[in-house]
Amino acid sequence: MNFNPGSWLKNTDLYKYLAAIPIPVFIILITALTPFDNRAVFEAPWLLPILNTVFIFAIYLVVAYISAKSYLSSGSLSIFLLGCGMLAFGSAALLGGWLISAPGGINVNVTVVNIGALSGSIFHLTGAMLTSMRVNPELNSKRRKRNLTLAYPGVLILVILLAIASLQGITPPFFIQGTGPTLLRQVVLGTAAVLFVISAFLFIRLYSNLKKIYLYWYSLALMLVAINLFAAFLVRTVGSPFSWAVRLPLYLGGIYFLNAIFIARRTARTRGTSIEEAVANFFREPEENFRILVETANDAIVSFDNESRVLLWNSAAEKIFGYNRSEAVGSILGDLIIPDSYDGTIKKEMENLTVTGKSTQIGKPIEMETKKKDGKVFPVEFSISARKTSDGWMYTSIIRDITERKRAEEALRKAHDELELRVQERTAELEKANKALLESEASYRELTESIDDLFYAMDRELRYTYWNKASEALTGILAKDAIGKSLYELFPDIKGTKVEQFYIEVLKTQQPARFESEYQLGDRKFIFEINAYPTKTGFSVIAKNITEKKMFEAHWLRAQRMESIGILAGGMAHNLNNMLTPMMMSLQILKGKFTDEHSQKLLNILENNSQRSADLIKQVLSFSRGVEGQRTPLQAKHLISEIEKIAKEIFPRNIEIRTDIQKDLFTISGDATQLHQVIINLCVNARDAMPDGGILSISAENCFIDENYAQMHTEAKVGSYVTIAVSDTGTGIPPKILDRIFEPFFTTKEFGKGTGLGLSTAFAIVKSHGGFINVNSEVGKGTTFRVYLPSIKTELQNVEEQQQLELPVGNGELVLVAEDDDSVREVTISTLQKYGYNVLIANDGAQAVAEYAQNRDKTKVILMDMMMPVMDGHASIRAIRKINPGVKIIAVSGSAEKEKLKNVADHTDAFLPKPYTAEKLLETIHEVLSIK
């Protein structure tokens, strides 16, 4: 006989034999250490509890948990009992280990652990026997849950009660230190050891039948536990080397149980099932798995012999054909379900197989008709497999009801024929319509591309299908970049807004709809009238820019509201004055009549409050009709200087006051007291907006308002003005109340700290002087009020205005204008071209950089708006400076002050604030070009 070690190692599970080696090793070790049981060497009070917790309780608890879940899913009583045994032994080892340091703890430990071992061995033996006996599982899920709910807590309670009874000395002693175990302990321990050995052998036998490696490791673990229990017979002294050697098999057994769990986990992953299902399968016979597979199949599975007598009839066959199992088994299959036309064919194939061992139909699916118990005939897919046995051939057929499939196939065939016919009809129609569609599409595109309004279309998934040139110009997004993208990809912030709800509602109702929406682009805000029209594929939208219309309406409504409030306030003030006049006159008479100190004190209080009321009414009158006062020629710098002194004296020290007054200011005509009141009101509001301190700036400069500016501001008229600006770095004014700040009695201050007449009175005074007020504010950054007062024509001013008419002209220099606002850009271009400049246009920062790169040698100066889409002014200036550090750049902004542009001051040659006049534009360009 040839012996090949390599082949032997390859074909044998060597590791199983290696796993069994510790069993004889421990037997030899324990035998060798038996003489060393005479004295305790090491018995730390903390070590045994920790070892019992880690190697026994924790692992046994995991096994018990998995057994519980497996029992709930499979109903296997064997697994249920094994879980109870693991829980009993594991919890006893935990309590016994931690109680060993208590008074009489060694006896408590031995008592609890030994009785727990006996309980665990009984549960294991019973479970192993039930597995060998193939006891049917518990099929009632409610009963399984009830059993588990009663058993697991019951085991834990009994172990705890046993520990308490042992501590109280109620139970007989099991172990006496120095003397050794009692007879009762030896009986309990010996019984447990024998039962564990029997259980281990039953699991080994089960493994040899089922070949499930999980059972092999489980049986080895049980054998190690049994070795521990047998060796414990000889222990006389706790803490001796021999007693520690006795514990080692128990701890290694815990590791073997843990390895069995890992095997179950790996098997579950491989098969794609849960670990509890894998454990349940380990305890099933192959025949049982086959039976479960047959009974849970959706197709009818029928077995029959050479004489066509039915041997197997599953649940699906009962449902499909109507015969129950007792009726079908033993009957002739052809009589039950096979029509005569097919019965002969099947019999012939069975005879050929019997005689020759060959068949043309066996193993191939056949579509045929079968009959039910009620005689109804229906189509099935019939496949037969054959297996030769000692009694002859045995046939198994899988029969699938294909009634629904046949109906679907017939419906599909009819639909296909109908579709073919319709396709032919529609093809002719489409060819005819396609030509007309191409013609109408060309006209449609020409129309949509020629309008100034935004026009775009979206499908039902809110993806853009069309995007005209006006949409490109406003958003900076090209049609090729927009078409195919969703609404949320182009405009992520639109999620959850009213615009999104509007689009969804149009798709839902399939009705045309109109909606007004705001759109923010850089520092500019647009208002659009959106008209949506449903189509077959989605909807089309025409968005009309109504920003100017809305601004005009707002100005008109504001003027109407202010006029109405002024008329009402004037009437009320007149009546109140009529009531106050006799009251104040009577006070003078009463003061002369009642001269005692107490009366005088009360009358003075009445007089002071009456005077305050009169002053308040005077403010109302100032708002309602603009108190005329005495108009005299004034220099604004004197007013500002006086207010600066007052502010520095009375305002908090944490507010820094700055002034910037242009030399040679124009002269204005006005009432010094009223204008003083206007500026001091604005300064007080600025102070209140900076409770933690800040910067208060007061500036004055000449300006000339031309027709371009007057068109953009309805209150302005063409002419020379002095502009007084009051700025703060305070809290700012929220946009939602900005339109109401000039209304009388409107205030955001606390009760008692403001009448709400300050700004309304200032507005009325400035208006009565022929001027107007503008306000810019950013929340958290500050507010700027600009008071525009018309100047009077002195001889010096007449000369200056004549000089203003002689504006500086260009000499064909090329100016690059980077501006996204269409109206501002067009006015600027026409002005520059009128006064001798050539113009290069850019709608955004990126285009400005590209245009300059192509025309760097021709471009003399760049007019750069600071807030633009795609690339803002800051980034554009830095990019252009990299191309040519010496290029001349003028920064333009409509919202930022000079102080806020310090971060680009080093990169620009001048700053031009919006709105600007033609004079200011041409002078700034001329000054920059004059710099060498």
Side-chain angles (χ1 to χ4, degrees), residues 64 67-68 71 76-88 119-131 148 151-152 155 218:
S67 298
Y71 171 66
S76 171
L77 294 175
S78 301
I79 297 175
F80 168 69
L81 292 171
L82 295 182
C84 292
M86 297 301 286
L87 186 63
S119 303
S121 66
I122 293 172
F123 281 123
H124 271 80
L125 180 60
T126 309
M129 293 173 64
L130 290 179
T131 302
L148 199 63
Y152 272 39
V155 168
Y218 203 95

PDB file of all heavy atoms in Angstrom, residues 64 67-68 71 76-88 119-131 148 151-152 155 218:
ATOM      1  N   ALA A  64     -26.227  31.622  24.578  1.00  0.00           N
ATOM      2  CA  ALA A  64     -27.635  31.573  25.004  1.00  0.00           C
ATOM      3  C   ALA A  64     -28.486  32.547  24.198  1.00  0.00           C
ATOM      4  O   ALA A  64     -29.624  32.227  23.812  1.00  0.00           O
ATOM      5  CB  ALA A  64     -27.737  31.888  26.497  1.00  0.00           C
ATOM      6  N   SER A  67     -28.967  31.167  20.711  1.00  0.00           N
ATOM      7  CA  SER A  67     -29.886  30.031  20.797  1.00  0.00           C
ATOM      8  C   SER A  67     -31.333  30.514  20.928  1.00  0.00           C
ATOM      9  O   SER A  67     -32.248  29.925  20.329  1.00  0.00           O
ATOM     10  CB  SER A  67     -29.512  29.152  21.997  1.00  0.00           C
ATOM     11  OG  SER A  67     -28.204  28.627  21.848  1.00  0.00           O
ATOM     12  N   ALA A  68     -31.543  31.580  21.699  1.00  0.00           N
ATOM     13  CA  ALA A  68     -32.894  32.125  21.867  1.00  0.00           C
ATOM     14  C   ALA A  68     -33.443  32.633  20.535  1.00  0.00           C
ATOM     15  O   ALA A  68     -34.587  32.338  20.161  1.00  0.00           O
ATOM     16  CB  ALA A  68     -32.883  33.249  22.906  1.00  0.00           C
ATOM     17  N   TYR A  71     -34.217  29.704  18.291  1.00  0.00           N
ATOM     18  CA  TYR A  71     -35.453  29.036  18.700  1.00  0.00           C
ATOM     19  C   TYR A  71     -36.678  29.810  18.225  1.00  0.00           C
ATOM     20  O   TYR A  71     -37.657  29.225  17.746  1.00  0.00           O
ATOM     21  CB  TYR A  71     -35.472  28.878  20.217  1.00  0.00           C
ATOM     22  CG  TYR A  71     -36.796  28.398  20.767  1.00  0.00           C
ATOM     23  CD1 TYR A  71     -37.284  27.126  20.469  1.00  0.00           C
ATOM     24  CD2 TYR A  71     -37.571  29.227  21.575  1.00  0.00           C
ATOM     25  CE1 TYR A  71     -38.504  26.687  20.971  1.00  0.00           C
ATOM     26  CE2 TYR A  71     -38.789  28.802  22.075  1.00  0.00           C
ATOM     27  CZ  TYR A  71     -39.254  27.534  21.765  1.00  0.00           C
ATOM     28  OH  TYR A  71     -40.457  27.114  22.253  1.00  0.00           O
ATOM     29  N   SER A  76     -36.934  25.004  17.216  1.00  0.00           N
ATOM     30  CA  SER A  76     -36.224  23.788  17.626  1.00  0.00           C
ATOM     31  C   SER A  76     -36.124  23.721  19.148  1.00  0.00           C
ATOM     32  O   SER A  76     -35.498  24.573  19.787  1.00  0.00           O
ATOM     33  CB  SER A  76     -34.822  23.765  17.010  1.00  0.00           C
ATOM     34  OG  SER A  76     -34.059  22.715  17.549  1.00  0.00           O
ATOM     35  N   LEU A  77     -36.744  22.665  19.753  1.00  0.00           N
ATOM     36  CA  LEU A  77     -36.693  22.505  21.200  1.00  0.00           C
ATOM     37  C   LEU A  77     -35.288  22.175  21.676  1.00  0.00           C
ATOM     38  O   LEU A  77     -34.884  22.530  22.793  1.00  0.00           O
ATOM     39  CB  LEU A  77     -37.667  21.403  21.637  1.00  0.00           C
ATOM     40  CG  LEU A  77     -39.149  21.710  21.419  1.00  0.00           C
ATOM     41  CD1 LEU A  77     -39.996  20.490  21.773  1.00  0.00           C
ATOM     42  CD2 LEU A  77     -39.569  22.906  22.259  1.00  0.00           C
ATOM     43  N   SER A  78     -34.494  21.497  20.844  1.00  0.00           N
ATOM     44  CA  SER A  78     -33.119  21.167  21.205  1.00  0.00           C
ATOM     45  C   SER A  78     -32.310  22.436  21.437  1.00  0.00           C
ATOM     46  O   SER A  78     -31.604  22.580  22.443  1.00  0.00           O
ATOM     47  CB  SER A  78     -32.475  20.330  20.095  1.00  0.00           C
ATOM     48  OG  SER A  78     -33.207  19.143  19.873  1.00  0.00           O
ATOM     49  N   ILE A  79     -32.401  23.374  20.505  1.00  0.00           N
ATOM     50  CA  ILE A  79     -31.658  24.633  20.626  1.00  0.00           C
ATOM     51  C   ILE A  79     -32.145  25.422  21.833  1.00  0.00           C
ATOM     52  O   ILE A  79     -31.366  26.052  22.553  1.00  0.00           O
ATOM     53  CB  ILE A  79     -31.792  25.443  19.324  1.00  0.00           C
ATOM     54  CG1 ILE A  79     -31.153  24.679  18.165  1.00  0.00           C
ATOM     55  CG2 ILE A  79     -31.166  26.826  19.465  1.00  0.00           C
ATOM     56  CD1 ILE A  79     -31.340  25.332  16.816  1.00  0.00           C
ATOM     57  N   PHE A  80     -33.467  25.390  22.093  1.00  0.00           N
ATOM     58  CA  PHE A  80     -34.038  26.083  23.245  1.00  0.00           C
ATOM     59  C   PHE A  80     -33.421  25.547  24.549  1.00  0.00           C
ATOM     60  O   PHE A  80     -33.021  26.314  25.436  1.00  0.00           O
ATOM     61  CB  PHE A  80     -35.551  25.886  23.236  1.00  0.00           C
ATOM     62  CG  PHE A  80     -36.240  26.309  24.505  1.00  0.00           C
ATOM     63  CD1 PHE A  80     -36.318  27.650  24.865  1.00  0.00           C
ATOM     64  CD2 PHE A  80     -36.814  25.371  25.350  1.00  0.00           C
ATOM     65  CE1 PHE A  80     -36.954  28.031  26.033  1.00  0.00           C
ATOM     66  CE2 PHE A  80     -37.444  25.755  26.512  1.00  0.00           C
ATOM     67  CZ  PHE A  80     -37.520  27.088  26.860  1.00  0.00           C
ATOM     68  N   LEU A  81     -33.305  24.205  24.696  1.00  0.00           N
ATOM     69  CA  LEU A  81     -32.757  23.604  25.913  1.00  0.00           C
ATOM     70  C   LEU A  81     -31.264  23.881  26.040  1.00  0.00           C
ATOM     71  O   LEU A  81     -30.753  24.105  27.154  1.00  0.00           O
ATOM     72  CB  LEU A  81     -33.025  22.096  25.912  1.00  0.00           C
ATOM     73  CG  LEU A  81     -34.500  21.699  26.058  1.00  0.00           C
ATOM     74  CD1 LEU A  81     -34.678  20.223  25.820  1.00  0.00           C
ATOM     75  CD2 LEU A  81     -35.021  22.086  27.441  1.00  0.00           C
ATOM     76  N   LEU A  82     -30.524  23.867  24.918  1.00  0.00           N
ATOM     77  CA  LEU A  82     -29.093  24.189  24.977  1.00  0.00           C
ATOM     78  C   LEU A  82     -28.888  25.619  25.474  1.00  0.00           C
ATOM     79  O   LEU A  82     -27.980  25.895  26.253  1.00  0.00           O
ATOM     80  CB  LEU A  82     -28.459  24.021  23.596  1.00  0.00           C
ATOM     81  CG  LEU A  82     -28.439  22.602  23.014  1.00  0.00           C
ATOM     82  CD1 LEU A  82     -27.745  22.591  21.669  1.00  0.00           C
ATOM     83  CD2 LEU A  82     -27.771  21.621  23.965  1.00  0.00           C
ATOM     84  N   GLY A  83     -29.732  26.547  25.010  1.00  0.00           N
ATOM     85  CA  GLY A  83     -29.637  27.937  25.476  1.00  0.00           C
ATOM     86  C   GLY A  83     -29.892  28.041  26.965  1.00  0.00           C
ATOM     87  O   GLY A  83     -29.204  28.782  27.682  1.00  0.00           O
ATOM     88  N   CYS A  84     -30.894  27.309  27.472  1.00  0.00           N
ATOM     89  CA  CYS A  84     -31.172  27.327  28.912  1.00  0.00           C
ATOM     90  C   CYS A  84     -29.976  26.786  29.699  1.00  0.00           C
ATOM     91  O   CYS A  84     -29.604  27.316  30.752  1.00  0.00           O
ATOM     92  CB  CYS A  84     -32.411  26.488  29.215  1.00  0.00           C
ATOM     93  SG  CYS A  84     -33.951  27.201  28.583  1.00  0.00           S
ATOM     94  N   GLY A  85     -29.346  25.693  29.186  1.00  0.00           N
ATOM     95  CA  GLY A  85     -28.184  25.120  29.871  1.00  0.00           C
ATOM     96  C   GLY A  85     -27.023  26.085  29.925  1.00  0.00           C
ATOM     97  O   GLY A  85     -26.345  26.220  30.956  1.00  0.00           O
ATOM     98  N   MET A  86     -26.753  26.784  28.808  1.00  0.00           N
ATOM     99  CA  MET A  86     -25.645  27.748  28.776  1.00  0.00           C
ATOM    100  C   MET A  86     -25.920  28.902  29.741  1.00  0.00           C
ATOM    101  O   MET A  86     -25.017  29.381  30.432  1.00  0.00           O
ATOM    102  CB  MET A  86     -25.450  28.290  27.355  1.00  0.00           C
ATOM    103  CG  MET A  86     -25.058  27.248  26.326  1.00  0.00           C
ATOM    104  SD  MET A  86     -23.531  26.388  26.706  1.00  0.00           S
ATOM    105  CE  MET A  86     -22.340  27.634  26.353  1.00  0.00           C
ATOM    106  N   LEU A  87     -27.175  29.361  29.806  1.00  0.00           N
ATOM    107  CA  LEU A  87     -27.531  30.471  30.699  1.00  0.00           C
ATOM    108  C   LEU A  87     -27.385  30.044  32.168  1.00  0.00           C
ATOM    109  O   LEU A  87     -26.882  30.813  32.993  1.00  0.00           O
ATOM    110  CB  LEU A  87     -28.955  30.935  30.408  1.00  0.00           C
ATOM    111  CG  LEU A  87     -29.428  32.176  31.154  1.00  0.00           C
ATOM    112  CD1 LEU A  87     -28.585  33.381  30.777  1.00  0.00           C
ATOM    113  CD2 LEU A  87     -30.898  32.459  30.867  1.00  0.00           C
ATOM    114  N   ALA A  88     -27.806  28.805  32.499  1.00  0.00           N
ATOM    115  CA  ALA A  88     -27.728  28.345  33.883  1.00  0.00           C
ATOM    116  C   ALA A  88     -26.279  28.221  34.344  1.00  0.00           C
ATOM    117  O   ALA A  88     -25.896  28.735  35.413  1.00  0.00           O
ATOM    118  CB  ALA A  88     -28.445  26.996  34.013  1.00  0.00           C
ATOM    119  N   SER A 119     -27.392  21.675  36.384  1.00  0.00           N
ATOM    120  CA  SER A 119     -28.535  22.157  35.593  1.00  0.00           C
ATOM    121  C   SER A 119     -28.166  22.234  34.126  1.00  0.00           C
ATOM    122  O   SER A 119     -28.915  21.802  33.242  1.00  0.00           O
ATOM    123  CB  SER A 119     -28.986  23.533  36.103  1.00  0.00           C
ATOM    124  OG  SER A 119     -29.319  23.473  37.468  1.00  0.00           O
ATOM    125  N   GLY A 120     -26.988  22.796  33.845  1.00  0.00           N
ATOM    126  CA  GLY A 120     -26.554  22.916  32.456  1.00  0.00           C
ATOM    127  C   GLY A 120     -26.403  21.561  31.798  1.00  0.00           C
ATOM    128  O   GLY A 120     -26.756  21.384  30.619  1.00  0.00           O
ATOM    129  N   SER A 121     -25.875  20.543  32.548  1.00  0.00           N
ATOM    130  CA  SER A 121     -25.693  19.209  31.955  1.00  0.00           C
ATOM    131  C   SER A 121     -27.027  18.550  31.655  1.00  0.00           C
ATOM    132  O   SER A 121     -27.179  17.864  30.633  1.00  0.00           O
ATOM    133  CB  SER A 121     -24.868  18.336  32.901  1.00  0.00           C
ATOM    134  OG  SER A 121     -25.591  18.071  34.111  1.00  0.00           O
ATOM    135  N   ILE A 122     -28.005  18.755  32.519  1.00  0.00           N
ATOM    136  CA  ILE A 122     -29.340  18.171  32.289  1.00  0.00           C
ATOM    137  C   ILE A 122     -29.971  18.785  31.036  1.00  0.00           C
ATOM    138  O   ILE A 122     -30.516  18.076  30.178  1.00  0.00           O
ATOM    139  CB  ILE A 122     -30.238  18.374  33.520  1.00  0.00           C
ATOM    140  CG1 ILE A 122     -29.698  17.566  34.703  1.00  0.00           C
ATOM    141  CG2 ILE A 122     -31.679  17.979  33.216  1.00  0.00           C
ATOM    142  CD1 ILE A 122     -30.404  17.864  36.020  1.00  0.00           C
ATOM    143  N   PHE A 123     -29.915  20.126  30.935  1.00  0.00           N
ATOM    144  CA  PHE A 123     -30.455  20.793  29.745  1.00  0.00           C
ATOM    145  C   PHE A 123     -29.758  20.311  28.476  1.00  0.00           C
ATOM    146  O   PHE A 123     -30.400  20.054  27.446  1.00  0.00           O
ATOM    147  CB  PHE A 123     -30.310  22.318  29.878  1.00  0.00           C
ATOM    148  CG  PHE A 123     -31.352  22.967  30.743  1.00  0.00           C
ATOM    149  CD1 PHE A 123     -31.001  23.734  31.845  1.00  0.00           C
ATOM    150  CD2 PHE A 123     -32.703  22.818  30.453  1.00  0.00           C
ATOM    151  CE1 PHE A 123     -31.955  24.343  32.639  1.00  0.00           C
ATOM    152  CE2 PHE A 123     -33.667  23.426  31.237  1.00  0.00           C
ATOM    153  CZ  PHE A 123     -33.291  24.187  32.332  1.00  0.00           C
ATOM    154  N   HIS A 124     -28.420  20.181  28.501  1.00  0.00           N
ATOM    155  CA  HIS A 124     -27.672  19.766  27.323  1.00  0.00           C
ATOM    156  C   HIS A 124     -28.004  18.327  26.922  1.00  0.00           C
ATOM    157  O   HIS A 124     -28.167  18.029  25.732  1.00  0.00           O
ATOM    158  CB  HIS A 124     -26.163  19.909  27.573  1.00  0.00           C
ATOM    159  CG  HIS A 124     -25.637  21.254  27.220  1.00  0.00           C
ATOM    160  ND1 HIS A 124     -25.760  22.346  28.042  1.00  0.00           N
ATOM    161  CD2 HIS A 124     -25.004  21.704  26.102  1.00  0.00           C
ATOM    162  CE1 HIS A 124     -25.222  23.392  27.485  1.00  0.00           C
ATOM    163  NE2 HIS A 124     -24.750  23.041  26.282  1.00  0.00           N
ATOM    164  N   LEU A 125     -28.074  17.434  27.915  1.00  0.00           N
ATOM    165  CA  LEU A 125     -28.370  16.038  27.593  1.00  0.00           C
ATOM    166  C   LEU A 125     -29.766  15.916  26.979  1.00  0.00           C
ATOM    167  O   LEU A 125     -29.965  15.199  25.988  1.00  0.00           O
ATOM    168  CB  LEU A 125     -28.271  15.178  28.859  1.00  0.00           C
ATOM    169  CG  LEU A 125     -28.554  13.682  28.665  1.00  0.00           C
ATOM    170  CD1 LEU A 125     -27.583  13.062  27.670  1.00  0.00           C
ATOM    171  CD2 LEU A 125     -28.496  12.940  29.997  1.00  0.00           C
ATOM    172  N   THR A 126     -30.722  16.625  27.565  1.00  0.00           N
ATOM    173  CA  THR A 126     -32.090  16.575  27.030  1.00  0.00           C
ATOM    174  C   THR A 126     -32.132  17.118  25.600  1.00  0.00           C
ATOM    175  O   THR A 126     -32.771  16.543  24.715  1.00  0.00           O
ATOM    176  CB  THR A 126     -33.038  17.378  27.930  1.00  0.00           C
ATOM    177  OG1 THR A 126     -32.881  16.956  29.282  1.00  0.00           O
ATOM    178  CG2 THR A 126     -34.480  17.201  27.485  1.00  0.00           C
ATOM    179  N   GLY A 127     -31.442  18.236  25.376  1.00  0.00           N
ATOM    180  CA  GLY A 127     -31.417  18.810  24.035  1.00  0.00           C
ATOM    181  C   GLY A 127     -30.776  17.891  23.030  1.00  0.00           C
ATOM    182  O   GLY A 127     -31.261  17.741  21.891  1.00  0.00           O
ATOM    183  N   ALA A 128     -29.645  17.242  23.419  1.00  0.00           N
ATOM    184  CA  ALA A 128     -28.961  16.328  22.498  1.00  0.00           C
ATOM    185  C   ALA A 128     -29.844  15.132  22.175  1.00  0.00           C
ATOM    186  O   ALA A 128     -29.893  14.657  21.031  1.00  0.00           O
ATOM    187  CB  ALA A 128     -27.640  15.881  23.121  1.00  0.00           C
ATOM    188  N   MET A 129     -30.559  14.614  23.180  1.00  0.00           N
ATOM    189  CA  MET A 129     -31.444  13.467  22.948  1.00  0.00           C
ATOM    190  C   MET A 129     -32.602  13.844  22.024  1.00  0.00           C
ATOM    191  O   MET A 129     -32.978  13.061  21.138  1.00  0.00           O
ATOM    192  CB  MET A 129     -31.971  12.943  24.289  1.00  0.00           C
ATOM    193  CG  MET A 129     -30.890  12.317  25.173  1.00  0.00           C
ATOM    194  SD  MET A 129     -31.492  11.882  26.832  1.00  0.00           S
ATOM    195  CE  MET A 129     -32.715  10.636  26.420  1.00  0.00           C
ATOM    196  N   LEU A 130     -33.176  15.040  22.203  1.00  0.00           N
ATOM    197  CA  LEU A 130     -34.278  15.471  21.339  1.00  0.00           C
ATOM    198  C   LEU A 130     -33.813  15.629  19.896  1.00  0.00           C
ATOM    199  O   LEU A 130     -34.555  15.340  18.954  1.00  0.00           O
ATOM    200  CB  LEU A 130     -34.873  16.785  21.853  1.00  0.00           C
ATOM    201  CG  LEU A 130     -35.663  16.708  23.163  1.00  0.00           C
ATOM    202  CD1 LEU A 130     -36.163  18.091  23.556  1.00  0.00           C
ATOM    203  CD2 LEU A 130     -36.836  15.745  23.034  1.00  0.00           C
ATOM    204  N   THR A 131     -32.559  16.101  19.723  1.00  0.00           N
ATOM    205  CA  THR A 131     -32.017  16.227  18.373  1.00  0.00           C
ATOM    206  C   THR A 131     -31.902  14.867  17.710  1.00  0.00           C
ATOM    207  O   THR A 131     -32.247  14.685  16.536  1.00  0.00           O
ATOM    208  CB  THR A 131     -30.637  16.910  18.419  1.00  0.00           C
ATOM    209  OG1 THR A 131     -30.764  18.177  19.043  1.00  0.00           O
ATOM    210  CG2 THR A 131     -30.078  17.098  17.019  1.00  0.00           C
ATOM    211  N   LEU A 148     -39.893  31.113  25.937  1.00  0.00           N
ATOM    212  CA  LEU A 148     -38.624  31.811  26.145  1.00  0.00           C
ATOM    213  C   LEU A 148     -38.741  32.838  27.265  1.00  0.00           C
ATOM    214  O   LEU A 148     -37.835  32.987  28.097  1.00  0.00           O
ATOM    215  CB  LEU A 148     -38.197  32.495  24.836  1.00  0.00           C
ATOM    216  CG  LEU A 148     -36.732  32.888  24.710  1.00  0.00           C
ATOM    217  CD1 LEU A 148     -35.856  31.634  24.757  1.00  0.00           C
ATOM    218  CD2 LEU A 148     -36.493  33.616  23.406  1.00  0.00           C
ATOM    219  N   ALA A 151     -38.728  30.784  30.543  1.00  0.00           N
ATOM    220  CA  ALA A 151     -37.563  29.954  30.861  1.00  0.00           C
ATOM    221  C   ALA A 151     -36.337  30.775  31.226  1.00  0.00           C
ATOM    222  O   ALA A 151     -35.704  30.541  32.267  1.00  0.00           O
ATOM    223  CB  ALA A 151     -37.241  29.037  29.668  1.00  0.00           C
ATOM    224  N   TYR A 152     -35.934  31.727  30.399  1.00  0.00           N
ATOM    225  CA  TYR A 152     -34.688  32.450  30.638  1.00  0.00           C
ATOM    226  C   TYR A 152     -34.716  33.228  31.947  1.00  0.00           C
ATOM    227  O   TYR A 152     -33.803  33.091  32.777  1.00  0.00           O
ATOM    228  CB  TYR A 152     -34.371  33.353  29.447  1.00  0.00           C
ATOM    229  CG  TYR A 152     -33.560  32.656  28.359  1.00  0.00           C
ATOM    230  CD1 TYR A 152     -33.808  31.326  28.023  1.00  0.00           C
ATOM    231  CD2 TYR A 152     -32.569  33.328  27.643  1.00  0.00           C
ATOM    232  CE1 TYR A 152     -33.095  30.685  27.028  1.00  0.00           C
ATOM    233  CE2 TYR A 152     -31.840  32.694  26.642  1.00  0.00           C
ATOM    234  CZ  TYR A 152     -32.104  31.373  26.330  1.00  0.00           C
ATOM    235  OH  TYR A 152     -31.394  30.742  25.360  1.00  0.00           O
ATOM    236  N   VAL A 155     -34.556  30.759  34.889  1.00  0.00           N
ATOM    237  CA  VAL A 155     -33.232  30.216  35.181  1.00  0.00           C
ATOM    238  C   VAL A 155     -32.414  31.214  35.998  1.00  0.00           C
ATOM    239  O   VAL A 155     -31.765  30.861  36.992  1.00  0.00           O
ATOM    240  CB  VAL A 155     -32.513  29.856  33.861  1.00  0.00           C
ATOM    241  CG1 VAL A 155     -31.039  29.560  34.125  1.00  0.00           C
ATOM    242  CG2 VAL A 155     -33.175  28.648  33.215  1.00  0.00           C
ATOM    243  N   TYR A 218     -18.586  22.199  19.238  1.00  0.00           N
ATOM    244  CA  TYR A 218     -19.470  22.237  20.402  1.00  0.00           C
ATOM    245  C   TYR A 218     -19.248  21.004  21.273  1.00  0.00           C
ATOM    246  O   TYR A 218     -19.215  21.074  22.511  1.00  0.00           O
ATOM    247  CB  TYR A 218     -20.927  22.314  19.934  1.00  0.00           C
ATOM    248  CG  TYR A 218     -21.871  22.883  20.955  1.00  0.00           C
ATOM    249  CD1 TYR A 218     -22.203  24.231  20.949  1.00  0.00           C
ATOM    250  CD2 TYR A 218     -22.451  22.092  21.943  1.00  0.00           C
ATOM    251  CE1 TYR A 218     -23.072  24.769  21.878  1.00  0.00           C
ATOM    252  CE2 TYR A 218     -23.315  22.607  22.875  1.00  0.00           C
ATOM    253  CZ  TYR A 218     -23.623  23.958  22.840  1.00  0.00           C
ATOM    254  OH  TYR A 218     -24.487  24.487  23.776  1.00  0.00           O
TER     255      TYR A 218
END
